[in-house]
Amino acid sequence: MLSIALVALIFTAAGTVYFFNKQHTLTTQFQSLKLIAQDIAYHDEVLTMSTLVATLDDDPRWRERYIRYEVTLDELLVRAKATDPKIARFFEETAQANDQLIAMESQAFELVSDNKRREALALLKSDKYQQYKAAFSHGLSSGINEVLTNTQFKIDENQEKRGFYLIMSMIIAFFVVLVLWYFLIRYVRLTEKAIVDIAKLDELSGLLNRREFSRIVGYEINRAYRENKILMLVILDLDEFKKYNDKYGHPAGDNVIREVGELFLSFSRRTNEYAFRTGGEEFAIVSTCSSRQEGIKFCKSLCDEVRKFNIEHANNPPRYKVTASCDIAFSTQGEKPLSMNELYSRADQALYRAKHAGKNQCAVFDDAVPVDATQNTAPNSLQN
């Protein structure tokens, strides 16, 4: 998007520069043609006057002036052709009249040299000379005026196009910047969300972290109390996991943590089901359930699924596989709600009993006898 915006801005700048440059070129051309046209008209009059005066006054300076202005006029005609090639067509149309004028003026100078001034004046005042003079002057001025008119039309047309394209470029640039701004804001928001999500998650397991556990459990306790539902807190702790890391290495231990994290994610897909990693090898699930029996089945199934990983653990007799102890505590229903610390303390007490009853157990707070997780498994999810 930044590249597109840059291209749009470059396009706008380039278009503006192009039309301003074209405007400057056309204006310069117009002014140059206008000055050349004035100079050509002036030189034409000077040549006519010089020829007439030289005929009346036998002074060679007038002849020299005529020759000098004739050369200058030829140079002006060449400059006019170079300024706008279309002028050449008008010069071609007046070339015959110009040649005839030069021939008659040269003839007049020869007659003056032979002391035939009267014949020279008659030649310059003749209808034929005046006809050629009018044809040359009128054709040349008409041609240059037509080119000037066309040039002025191009200037006006370029001004209109310049305004139109400048407005269109600004509109396009505005929308591009608007779209860019939208995607920039969206990117910032997504980035902020990603940062917030990262702050909420445990990197290794992909579950919510301990900070989120403290925040969500308190909220869910109050929500369950308001809706008169049963809230369960399940805590799962991997058995002898420090010994597993000591024997198989921390990379292998990290793999086990990832597998348990995936298991907990699969057990917490419904609304108001939250899975956490609360410690090194300790995990938790918070959810509402329809009955205590359903929650107990859910707790047993977690232990059973960990055992089904069938991961070797030589330092975890008597099963010599990775197992987990699991506990469950329920919030009170219809009475004053427990605090987060009270609910967690109940679950921790049940976990303590499960650990001391031989591990690989599921224990319930206030239940005196832990239940062996190898018996009676339950479905993988709750029905709220």
Side-chain angles (χ1 to χ4, degrees), residues 47-323:
L47 288 175
T48 301
M49 183 185 68
S50 297
T51 303
L52 185 60
V53 174
T55 302
L56 296 172
D57 185 6
D58 188 15
D59 190 340
R61 288 180 298 177
W62 292 105
R63 179 67 186 272
E64 292 173 359
R65 187 181 185 191
Y66 175 88
I67 294 172
R68 186 169 66 253
Y69 273 85
E70 182 183 15
V71 173
T72 308
L73 178 61
D74 289 338
E75 293 175 352
L76 288 171
L77 295 176
V78 171
R79 282 175 55 194
K81 290 179 182 179
T83 304
D84 195 323
K86 291 190 290 295
I87 292 180
R89 176 171 60 86
F90 300 104
F91 290 166
E92 291 172 0
E93 294 175 356
T94 58
Q96 183 179 1
N98 187 44
D99 292 341
Q100 291 296 329
L101 284 173
I102 293 174
M104 294 180 73
E105 289 165 353
S106 298
Q107 186 180 354
F109 283 127
E110 290 176 2
L111 289 172
V112 171
S113 299
D114 295 337
N115 294 320
K116 297 180 180 180
R117 297 181 183 278
R118 183 172 297 179
E119 289 85 348
L121 286 172
L123 179 63
L124 295 177
K125 294 180 179 181
S126 65
D127 293 339
K128 190 175 182 181
Y129 179 82
Q130 296 301 323
Q131 182 181 357
Y132 286 131
K133 181 68 176 176
F136 176 74
S137 299
H138 178 73
L140 197 59
S141 61
S142 297
I144 292 178
N145 287 335
E146 182 176 337
V147 173
L148 288 174
T149 301
N150 291 335
T151 304
Q152 183 63 54
F153 175 77
K154 288 181 180 178
I155 292 174
D156 296 339
E157 185 181 36
N158 181 72
Q159 285 180 334
E160 293 179 1
K161 287 184 177 179
R162 181 184 67 186
F164 172 77
Y165 283 110
L166 183 60
I167 292 173
M168 290 301 297
S169 299
M170 291 176 66
I171 291 173
I172 292 172
F174 171 76
F175 279 106
V176 169
V177 171
L178 194 63
V179 172
L180 176 63
W181 184 253
Y182 166 76
F183 280 102
L184 183 62
I185 291 176
R186 186 170 179 269
Y187 172 77
V188 170
R189 288 179 177 175
L190 289 176
T191 302
E192 289 177 349
K193 184 179 182 300
I195 292 173
V196 171
D197 289 342
I198 290 173
K200 291 179 178 180
L201 297 178
D202 172 66
E203 182 179 0
L204 184 58
S205 65
L207 304 177
L208 296 171
N209 57 27
R210 181 60 182 258
R211 181 185 301 169
E212 285 300 293
F213 174 80
S214 301
R215 183 181 67 84
I216 291 175
V217 171
Y219 173 80
E220 286 298 306
I221 288 173
N222 292 325
R223 186 186 66 81
Y225 175 75
R226 289 194 307 270
E227 298 176 2
N228 197 28
K229 293 183 178 180
I230 300 174
L231 181 74
M232 68 174 185
L233 169 62
V234 178
I235 296 179
L236 180 144
D237 189 88
L238 296 174
D239 296 327
E240 304 293 350
F241 195 68
K242 183 180 182 305
K243 294 180 179 179
Y244 182 90
N245 281 329
D246 292 341
K247 180 172 179 59
Y248 299 98
H250 285 278
D254 289 346
N255 289 334
V256 175
I257 297 296
R258 291 189 189 96
E259 289 197 47
V260 175
E262 292 175 2
L263 172 65
F264 267 57
L265 286 174
S266 68
F267 270 66
S268 57
R269 295 188 183 278
R270 296 175 182 271
T271 305
N272 300 321
E273 292 180 346
Y274 301 93
F276 309 87
R277 183 186 179 199
T278 54
E281 63 269 16
E282 184 179 280
F283 303 83
I285 286 183
V286 174
S287 178
T288 54
C289 57
S290 58
S291 66
R292 293 172 63 91
Q293 290 73 22
E294 182 182 21
I296 294 170
K297 289 180 180 180
F298 180 81
C299 181
K300 294 175 185 177
S301 66
L302 280 175
C303 288
D304 186 55
E305 290 299 323
V306 172
R307 181 176 54 81
K308 287 181 180 179
F309 288 161
N310 202 30
I311 300 173
E312 180 183 349
H313 187 353
N315 292 333
N316 186 31
R319 296 171 185 85
Y320 301 102
K321 296 184 183 302
V322 171
T323 60

Side-chain angles (χ1 to χ4, degrees), residues 367-382:
D367 190 345
V369 183
V371 181
D372 192 331
T374 59
Q375 306 170 1
N376 301 327
T377 60
N380 289 346
S381 63
L382 292 175

